[in-house]
């Protein structure tokens, strides 16, 4: 059996897959965010529970938010107790088995490339538009990680100067310590912030979407500004990676208006003659992270893994 664990800021999901990677069972529990010992004990307890249920020791793969450095050290703002910890290494010692680990957005991309809507394509770019923005590039079913395991952190590219000037955008501070990162505009949080600035009132993404569907002029202006920023980011990714298909996940990917407008918004920032990749919604949605984690543990991809 293959176990995938998706670590979130509030919830941990553990899913069990059989040898054909069909889901057998899954459950969720609260994430211990402040106490590393409690966090590790919780993971070990749940994995042992899965072993007892399956009658065998399954492989273990972990997806979590944040950066997993080349030496396995984690940098995570969502789960503070994991910062500067070698999570997979420590869990492998605790369980006495190999543990694989990867960024949750990269696991999303892997899941969709191997099992989802990207299956059959050579170059699959996965992109999450949710609370944050990130993704990963899979080439022939394998994640491209890069020298420092940072490939896919395109939410921290700077917003286009051309777009920033056109819309007189403020430079938002990013949690990474920089200003003007694309994530601060194109994530769900960023879209809500844009709407607040344009409408001049306290609001969020849900309020914006409701207003947009009522043809509110300020919501429409926010949408046009947002799509120009997102199209510029997508165009830069197309030029850098030239994918066959871009697979979208996260809450904003489910907004029909965004998906419908994205090809033209991207094309507007590309020179003539560039063929756009396909834009598709993820097959597995929010379940892609845990499936990708199981794939890491299964050994179908060269993620970061540690033996006991």
């Amino acid at each position: 059996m293959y176990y995938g664990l998706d670590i979130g800021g509030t919830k941990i999901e553990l899913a069990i897959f059989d040898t054909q990677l069909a889901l057998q069972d899954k459950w969720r529990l609260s994430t211990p965010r402040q106490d590393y010992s409690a966090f590790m004990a919780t993971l070990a307890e749940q994995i042992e529970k899965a072993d007892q249920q399956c009658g065998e020791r399954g492989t273990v793969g972990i997806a979590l938010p944040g950066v997993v450095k080349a030496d396995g050290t984690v940098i995570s703002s969502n789960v503070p107790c994991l910062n500067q910890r070698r999570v997979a290494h420590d869990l492998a010692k605790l369980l006495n088995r190999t543990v694989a680990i990867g960024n949750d957005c990269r696991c999303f991309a892997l899941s969709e490339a191997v099992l989802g809507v990207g299956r059959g394509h050579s170059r699959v770019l996965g992109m999450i538009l949710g609370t944050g923005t990130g993704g990963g590039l899979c080439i022939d079913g394998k994640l491209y990680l890069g020298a420092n395991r940072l490939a896919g952190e395109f939410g921290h590219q700077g917003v286009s100067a051309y777009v920033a000037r056109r819309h007189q955008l403020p430079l938002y501070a990013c949690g990474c310590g920089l200003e003007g990162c694309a994530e601060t505009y194109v994530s769900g949080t960023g879209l809500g912030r844009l709407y607040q600035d344009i409408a001049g009132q306290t609001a969020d993404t849900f309020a914006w979407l409701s207003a947009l569907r009522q043809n509110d002029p300020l919501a429409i202006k926010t949408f046009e500004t947002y799509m120009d920023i997102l199209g510029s980011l997508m165009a830069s990714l197309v030029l850098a990676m030239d994918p066959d298909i871009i697979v979208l996940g996260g809450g904003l990917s489910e907004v029909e208006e965004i998906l419908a407008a994205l090809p033209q918004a991207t094309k507007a920032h590309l020179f003539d003659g560039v063929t756009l990749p396909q834009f598709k919604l993820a097959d597995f949605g929010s379940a892609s992270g845990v499936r990708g984690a199981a794939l890491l543990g299964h050994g179908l991809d060269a993620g970061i893994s540690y033996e006991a």
Side-chain angles (χ1 to χ4, degrees):
M1 293 291 187
Y2 309 116
Y3 307 154
L5 291 94
D6 192 4
I7 312 299
T10 58
K11 298 291 184 184
I12 295 171
E13 180 174 4
L14 187 149
I16 301 172
F17 299 88
D18 65 15
T19 55
Q20 302 304 310
L21 292 166
L23 179 65
Q24 300 301 299
D25 197 3
K26 65 178 179 179
W27 59 84
R28 290 185 174 185
L29 61 150
S30 297
T31 304
R33 300 179 68 250
Q34 303 295 337
D35 187 327
Y36 186 64
S37 295
F39 177 87
M40 297 301 292
T42 297
L43 259 57
E45 179 182 346
Q46 297 306 310
I47 292 166
E48 289 168 0
K49 174 183 173 181
D51 287 345
Q52 292 173 3
Q53 181 173 316
C54 297
E56 63 181 79
R57 287 162 55 89
T59 62
V60 179
I62 299 174
L64 50 73
V67 174
V68 183
K69 296 166 64 177
D71 65 355
T73 303
V74 169
I75 302 174
S76 173
S77 59
N78 294 46
V79 188
C81 71
L82 303 187
N83 270 313
Q84 305 304 321
R85 300 283 192 170
R86 298 178 67 195
V87 176
H89 175 271
D90 294 343
L91 187 60
K93 291 178 65 177
L94 197 58
L95 296 172
N96 193 32
R97 78 185 81 174
T98 302
V99 173
I101 192 169
N103 168 272
D104 54 355
C105 294
R106 252 73 91 205
C107 287
F108 162 83
L110 178 63
S111 171
E112 290 296 328
V114 175
L115 301 172
V117 70
R119 185 168 50 184
H121 295 277
S122 177
R123 294 165 296 275
V124 179
L125 180 64
M127 183 172 188
I128 293 287
L129 292 172
T131 305
T133 301
L137 175 66
C138 289
I139 302 174
D140 297 329
K142 298 289 185 180
L143 268 175
Y144 175 73
L145 296 174
N148 295 294
R149 306 300 197 267
L150 291 174
E153 290 292 330
F154 37 73
H156 298 289
Q157 292 180 203
V159 68
S160 159
Y162 169 71
V163 172
R165 184 176 62 182
R166 173 191 279 181
H167 299 285
Q168 295 297 297
L169 297 176
L171 289 180
Y172 297 135
C174 182
C176 74
L178 301 175
E179 291 185 342
C181 290
E183 178 177 279
T184 65
Y185 303 90
V186 302
S187 65
T189 305
L191 176 52
R193 187 187 293 117
L194 272 177
Y195 182 47
Q196 287 189 52
D197 285 350
I198 290 173
Q201 61 187 27
T202 301
D204 58 18
T205 307
F206 297 102
W208 163 79
L209 185 57
S210 176
L212 178 71
R213 291 175 174 171
Q214 296 175 43
N215 294 315
D216 176 77
L218 294 177
I220 292 171
K221 181 179 179 181
T222 301
F223 177 66
E224 291 171 347
T225 302
Y226 175 82
M227 291 309 307
D228 201 24
I229 301 168
L230 181 59
S232 172
L233 173 63
M234 286 294 194
S236 71
L237 298 178
V238 169
L239 292 174
M241 303 180 192
D242 197 16
D244 304 321
I245 183 172
I246 296 177
V247 183
L248 299 169
L252 289 183
S253 71
E254 298 174 6
V255 177
E256 296 176 1
E257 291 86 346
I258 292 176
L259 188 63
L262 191 51
Q264 186 56 45
T266 304
K267 188 175 182 180
H269 291 277
L270 293 169
F271 51 81
D272 290 342
V274 175
T275 300
L276 286 177
Q278 298 179 50
F279 292 89
K280 296 286 186 179
L281 280 177
D283 272 349
F284 299 117
S286 61
S288 278
V290 77
R291 286 180 178 272
L295 286 170
L296 289 182
H298 183 26
L300 292 183
D301 185 79
I304 302 173
S305 62
Y306 291 90
E307 297 181 356

